[in-house]
Amino acid sequence: MAAPFFNTPFQPYVYQSPQAAVIPFQILGGEAQIVQIMLKPQEKVIAKPGSMCYMSGSIQMDNVYLNENDGGIWQWLFGKSVTSVIFYNPGPNDGFVGIAAPSLARILPIDLAMFGGEILCQPDAFLCSVNEVTVTNSLDPRPRNIVSGVEGILKQKLTGQGLAFIVAGGSVVQKNLDVGEVLVVDASCIVAMTSTINFQAKNTGPLRRVVLGQGDNLVTATLTGPGIVFLQSLPFQRLSQRIARAVTSPNMRENPKFFIQIAIFFVLAYVMIVSSLILTDV
């Protein structure tokens, strides 16, 4: 059984599969964490492409296409990877592989057997898995298939009886909701939750806030128990938006050329419009 995610780093954990196989793993680091998984002969780990940090010399790595990737062609067309990486220990000695979080994130071990064999996650939350975990991505960028419910926000589903590792930004809180208990959260702060929770999304901002505001806390989610939900304090989307604002929206003191360029653009646009109207009249 997997150790709870909130234990101190550097502490070795032990996962016991339903087939009584024991797989030790260790979560290293504080913010941008690494999970080190020990592999006995003939054991394997499935991970996201580009997540490997290090591995022992006895481990073999291979890219495979998983059939459970729903809408794989659409993911590929829009820049999403449709393959996974398998780290396999052909033996005869034990080996290990270190899987790193893709950003300043914490790694949460999720024993799916403790969650009824199914859990819903944010897109790209899955990092790696042990012992047959199926990852289903419902990501479909076609406008006609956009869903405003739980499938439109928690677009990744993990099923099976194995051990999965997911990533979350900032501090992580686990909330155990009783039957009928209600919790209102920012939708982007949900890392994962059990499928037994009733999920309702709501747009909390008027149109003027969407246009003139910063775009924070515009979609809230009302969660009704029973079930378990994992929350993150710093979603990657929020972090990237704040970095983008700092880079692309400097103030006058930091970059006065920015406003001069905007003024020149509008002047040129005005001249072109006036010129076209004069030529049309002639």
Side-chain angles (χ1 to χ4, degrees):
M1 186 167 58
F5 70 89
F6 44 77
N7 279 10
T8 56
F10 301 103
Q11 180 176 350
Y13 305 141
V14 174
Y15 165 71
Q16 184 171 355
S17 69
Q19 292 79 21
V22 176
I23 300 178
F25 67 92
Q26 191 174 11
I27 295 180
L28 310 174
E31 297 300 330
Q33 293 184 328
I34 297 175
V35 56
Q36 178 175 295
I37 304 174
M38 304 300 296
L39 294 179
K40 296 178 181 179
Q42 312 307 318
E43 290 182 342
K44 65 181 179 179
V45 171
I46 299 178
K48 291 176 57 176
S51 61
M52 190 273 291
C53 183
Y54 58 86
M55 63 182 182
S56 59
S58 60
I59 302 298
Q60 295 182 357
M61 180 174 60
D62 189 19
N63 285 313
V64 296
Y65 174 79
L66 300 180
N67 296 326
E68 58 264 20
N69 268 336
D70 293 347
I73 184 63
W74 288 100
Q75 294 189 62
W76 178 77
L77 289 175
F78 284 86
K80 295 290 184 178
S81 176
V82 295
T83 62
S84 297
V85 180
I86 291 182
F87 300 94
Y88 177 72
N89 185 9
N93 300 320
D94 293 351
F96 58 86
V97 57
I99 307 297
S103 60
L104 295 175
R106 294 181 177 273
I107 299 177
L108 317 182
I110 303 294
D111 188 351
L112 292 178
M114 299 177 59
F115 297 92
E118 179 180 290
I119 195 168
L120 305 176
C121 303
Q122 284 274 9
D124 297 327
F126 172 78
L127 181 64
C128 62
S129 65
V130 177
N131 193 39
E132 304 301 331
V133 174
T134 300
V135 183
T136 304
N137 294 297
S138 60
L139 176 63
D140 194 339
R142 291 172 287 183
R144 64 182 178 86
N145 287 340
I146 292 178
V147 182
S148 59
V150 62
E151 296 86 357
I153 296 178
L154 303 178
K155 299 179 180 180
Q156 205 167 62
K157 180 189 294 185
L158 308 182
T159 56
Q161 298 296 316
L163 176 66
F165 295 89
I166 62 177
V167 293
S171 300
V172 182
V173 177
Q174 175 181 333
K175 291 290 186 181
N176 300 324
L177 302 182
D178 296 329
V179 178
E181 183 178 356
V182 178
L183 181 68
V184 180
V185 300
D186 187 303
S188 63
C189 291
I190 303 175
V191 182
M193 72 177 193
T194 56
S195 57
T196 57
I197 294 180
N198 182 25
F199 179 99
Q200 291 184 346
K202 180 181 179 181
N203 192 332
T204 60
L207 181 60
R208 65 178 181 274
R209 182 182 172 190
V210 175
V211 177
L212 301 177
Q214 297 293 337
D216 295 331
N217 303 115
L218 291 179
V219 179
T220 60
T222 302
L223 310 179
T224 306
I228 300 175
V229 58
F230 298 92
L231 304 174
Q232 58 184 347
S233 64
L234 187 60
F236 179 75
Q237 179 182 5
R238 183 181 298 174
L239 175 62
S240 61
Q241 287 177 351
R242 292 178 179 175
I243 294 175
R245 292 172 196 162
V247 173
T248 61
S249 302
N251 55 39
M252 178 67 77
R253 183 186 307 172
E254 295 174 344
N255 189 5
K257 294 181 180 180
F258 176 79
F259 293 91
I260 296 175
Q261 293 170 353
I262 294 296
I264 294 175
F265 171 80
F266 281 107
V267 169
L268 293 177
Y270 175 78
V271 172
M272 293 180 62
I273 294 174
V274 172
S275 301
S276 62
L277 292 176
I278 294 175
L279 293 176
T280 302
D281 293 337
V282 174

